[in-house]
Amino acid sequence: MNNEGKQPLPIWFFVGVILFVYGILVIVGQAMDPGGQALKSLKPGFIWGPVMIVFGVIFTAIGLVAHKRQG
Amino acid sequence: MFDRIPLPRLAALTSGAVLSMAAAAASAQEGQHKAILSLGVIDWVVVALYFVAIIGIGLYLRGFTKTGEDFFMGGRKNSSWVAGLAFLSANLGALEILGWTGGTMKYGMFVSHWYWLGAIPAMLFLGLYMMPFYYSSKIHSVPGYLKLRYDERTRLLNAISFAVMTLLMSGINLYLMALVFNVLLGWDWHVSMWVSAAAIGCYITLGGLMSAIFTEIVQFFLIWAGLFLVTILGVVELGGPAEVFANLPDKMTTLWQTTGAASSNDMGVTWLGLVMGLGFVLSFGYWTTDFLVVQRAFSSKDLRSARLTPITASFFKMALPFIVVGAGLVAFQLTRRADMGFELLPHPSTGEAWYDSALPMLIARYYPHGLVGLGITALLAGFMAGQAGNVSAFNTVWTYDIYKAVINRKASDAHLVWVGRVTTVVGILLSVATAYVAMQFNTIMDYIQAIFSWVNAPLFATMLLGMFWKRTTSAGAFWGLIAGMLVSFGIYMGFKFNLFGPTVATILTLAEHPSDMTRNLWQATWGWIVCFGGTILVSLFTVPKPDSELVGLVKGLTVEEDGSVKVAWYGRPAFWAAVSLAVLIVLNILFW
């Protein structure tokens, strides 16, 4: 791959994608979980997963915007 | 825990988890335990995706890694945010998190000293005062500065000791990672070690320092995403922050009030030992001279960013007790309330409560599938990023300070990149070999961890004098460094083999029967004092370098042009350092 003169995508992009994908998996995991933990009624995966997705979208956007500015 | 462990590579291993884990190793190897956590399909997907992500990042960055500057210095293009988070994450390991969470159950808020007093002043000092000398001289490593400021022999002494220390630490890290996952999940030792070593070797060989930095930042976010929720859920279950702090013994809620006498706190240290040993010698020795962390600042795009790197990191460092100490206090309160049905695991070898199991037990208590995988991945990332940090620092020091300095002075840039890649593979293999040695001989870890206070504590005196006293000579630095290292080593061996009586012990540590923690703090302090004094003494009787050779390397002979004067006040390193210091002071007053 010839990347002469190009800049790599910023780390924020990768962080964003990872948080986004993991956020989805956390929600799926909560949905599939048989329960049995303390505070199971809170269903923390249904709260934490969306939080991760939101942060994932924000970081992905930051990464893409920064990459565009780099040219 | 603390009372058994010498101070190693400061925060990463001072937690006590290392020897506690090591003591468990024999039992674990015999299979006398049950796995704490079981993973579901979705958890396995989370873990597998982590490996796909880091190797994918390495493959992607391979196309941008052409020159020595790219491979060893990350292209020197990073912002202070990127370099700062990597700077912090290179130090933030899974052992530290496991160990200090357990440590909080024994010592309470006292543990915060390792995140605040034991880190922030040194990080700010590095950013404000030392970074201009490091960065402006365009060196590739800390030993590289020693070559410019002093001479080749001082560089070689430090390069070899750093390389050995780093490889051994890397091996221990690998071994303990395999141990932790064997105990927590029942994973096979050999598979854990070889799979993680192969993944690390793969992405560092491909992308060099930039790969290491990217994965360290990913690790930082995974740790917050995967572990902070444990503290939140614990606080919710206990009824809020006030309930978490309710009815704690006084000594668990204070930072300073029990430090008037060593006998007043469970750690057995006084305020003087804390301030001198932890806050000054060990902390400054680690944060300002250990190439593993400083290398991240070298990757910055300009001097202002490099100076902001540790200052930016200091804010995130101060926030970490919200995970570590918070989870520890939650676990402590849960164990005190019979109605909660929460117990720590028994230690595999002693049968007593195993404090290092606190965090995994909290994960098991609160997390559903998916989040369990995320928590495990956060720990895995903590181990692997620490390993990668060691390897990337080792390949740089080996390539520039040993190979190019001694073996092949005329090596081309392309050849050095090739050497760096080969060194990465060799370093990984040596780490695995060290891990197997540690597996067979657990007691060797005791010595390996102590290397930090032999190497880095005296080195801080050498650096300090070199940067701020132009009269310091090359001979003074070399012999002072050797004297400091020998004294630190001698005190360690003296205590280890009970060669000191009560009188000598009192002179050395201000305590007739010092705890191991006290010994370690003073051992490093004496190493620093002897190096500092010895360097001055020899320097006074030897010839210094002329000023013309020290421009850019010593205070007063440096033209500092970092662009800070051209930016608004809120963009200057000094402003953010002042804010960081103010936050540190407020935190200490709040928990005085």
Side-chain angles (χ1 to χ4, degrees), chain A residues 26-70:
Chain A
V26 164
I27 293 172
V28 173
Q30 178 71 71
M32 294 168 62
D33 192 79
Q37 307 86 14
L39 300 179
K40 60 185 176 190
S41 60
L42 282 181
K43 298 192 181 301
F46 287 152
I47 302 169
W48 204 243
V51 169
M52 290 177 66
I53 289 173
V54 169
F55 275 98
V57 169
I58 291 171
F59 277 107
T60 304
I62 289 173
L64 288 174
V65 170
H67 189 57
K68 199 173 179 182
R69 283 184 184 166
Q70 288 172 343

Side-chain angles (χ1 to χ4, degrees), chain A residues 3 9 22 29-30 33 37-38 48, chain B residues 46 50 60 63 225 365 368-369:
Chain A
N3 292 309
L9 281 161
Y22 276 173
Q30 178 71 71
D33 192 79
Q37 307 86 14
W48 204 243
Chain B
V46 171
Y50 173 70
Y60 174 71
R365 179 179 181 84
H369 287 311

Side-chain angles (χ1 to χ4, degrees), chain B residues 554-567:
Chain B
V554 184
K555 186 75 176 172
L557 300 174
T558 304
V559 182
E560 294 181 30
E561 290 183 357
D562 65 354
S564 290
V565 291
K566 298 172 188 169
V567 300

Side-chain angles (χ1 to χ4, degrees), chain B residues 339-352:
Chain B
D339 59 315
M340 289 296 183
F342 180 81
E343 288 183 359
L344 298 179
L345 287 184
H347 194 282
S349 59
T350 66
E352 298 172 356

Side-chain angles (χ1 to χ4, degrees), chain B residues 296-344:
Chain B
R296 275 68 193 151
F298 289 0
S299 75
S300 300
K301 61 186 176 187
D302 54 37
L303 177 55
R304 190 176 74 88
S305 300
R307 296 181 72 187
L308 278 169
T309 291
I311 295 169
T312 305
S314 70
F315 290 96
F316 295 102
K317 184 74 178 175
M318 281 190 280
L320 284 172
F322 286 102
I323 295 179
V324 177
V325 176
L329 291 178
V330 165
F332 179 80
Q333 291 289 32
L334 288 175
T335 54
R336 280 162 47 110
R337 290 176 52 175
D339 59 315
M340 289 296 183
F342 180 81
E343 288 183 359
L344 298 179

Side-chain angles (χ1 to χ4, degrees), chain B residues 8 21 25 29 33 42 143 157 180 286 338 341 345 384 444 493 533 539 567:
Chain B
M21 290 288 184
Q29 278 170 295
H33 67 279
I42 206 78
L157 174 65
V180 167
Y286 175 75
L345 287 184
M384 290 180 58
I444 198 174
M493 298 302 278
S539 292
V567 300

Side-chain angles (χ1 to χ4, degrees), chain B residues 252-276:
Chain B
M252 290 191 75
T253 61
T254 178
L255 290 174
W256 294 103
Q257 289 178 35
T258 58
T259 58
S263 56
S264 302
N265 60 79
D266 291 334
M267 210 177 271
V269 294
T270 64
W271 67 269
L272 185 60
L274 272 179
V275 171
M276 278 300 293

Side-chain angles (χ1 to χ4, degrees), chain B residues 358-563:
Chain B
L359 189 59
M361 292 305 287
L362 289 173
I363 289 176
R365 179 179 181 84
Y366 294 122
Y367 277 8
H369 287 311
L371 277 170
V372 170
L374 190 61
I376 292 302
T377 303
L379 293 176
L380 186 63
F383 277 112
M384 290 180 58
Q387 183 82 354
N390 278 308
V391 171
S392 60
F394 169 75
N395 70 26
T396 305
V397 168
W398 169 266
T399 303
Y400 281 100
D401 298 302
I402 299 175
Y403 181 80
K404 189 171 190 293
V406 179
I407 300 170
N408 185 355
R409 291 174 185 269
K410 295 178 180 174
S412 67
D413 188 65
H415 179 71
L416 291 178
V417 173
W418 178 81
V419 171
R421 290 199 158 107
V422 172
T423 305
T424 300
V425 176
V426 173
I428 288 281
L429 292 175
L430 288 173
S431 298
V432 174
T434 304
Y436 275 106
V437 172
M439 187 188 289
Q440 296 302 317
F441 306 101
N442 288 161
T443 52
I444 198 174
M445 292 205 293
D446 194 13
Y447 295 90
I448 292 176
Q449 291 174 80
I451 292 175
F452 172 79
S453 58
W454 308 339
V455 172
N456 279 57
L459 179 63
F460 172 55
T462 309
M463 288 292 186
L464 199 62
L465 286 167
M467 290 180 174
F468 296 97
W469 191 43
K470 68 177 184 179
R471 183 69 182 76
T472 312
T473 67
S474 303
F478 182 73
W479 294 110
L481 190 56
I482 286 187
M485 291 170 73
L486 287 176
V487 163
S488 183
F489 176 73
I491 293 175
Y492 170 81
M493 298 302 278
F495 277 120
K496 185 163 186 66
F497 293 102
N498 297 315
L499 302 179
F500 301 139
T503 309
V504 176
T506 304
I507 293 171
L508 290 174
T509 66
L510 305 182
E512 191 172 329
H513 301 291
S515 66
D516 273 8
M517 176 59 79
T518 300
R519 293 174 189 174
N520 295 323
L521 293 175
W522 283 104
Q523 163 195 319
T525 303
W526 281 111
W528 183 87
I529 290 171
V530 168
C531 180
F532 191 82
T535 302
I536 290 175
L537 192 65
V538 176
S539 292
L540 291 175
F541 293 97
T542 47
V543 181
K545 282 186 172 182
D547 286 1
S548 59
E549 292 182 25
L550 300 178
V551 173
L553 302 171
V554 184
K555 186 75 176 172
L557 300 174
T558 304
V559 182
E560 294 181 30
E561 290 183 357
D562 65 354

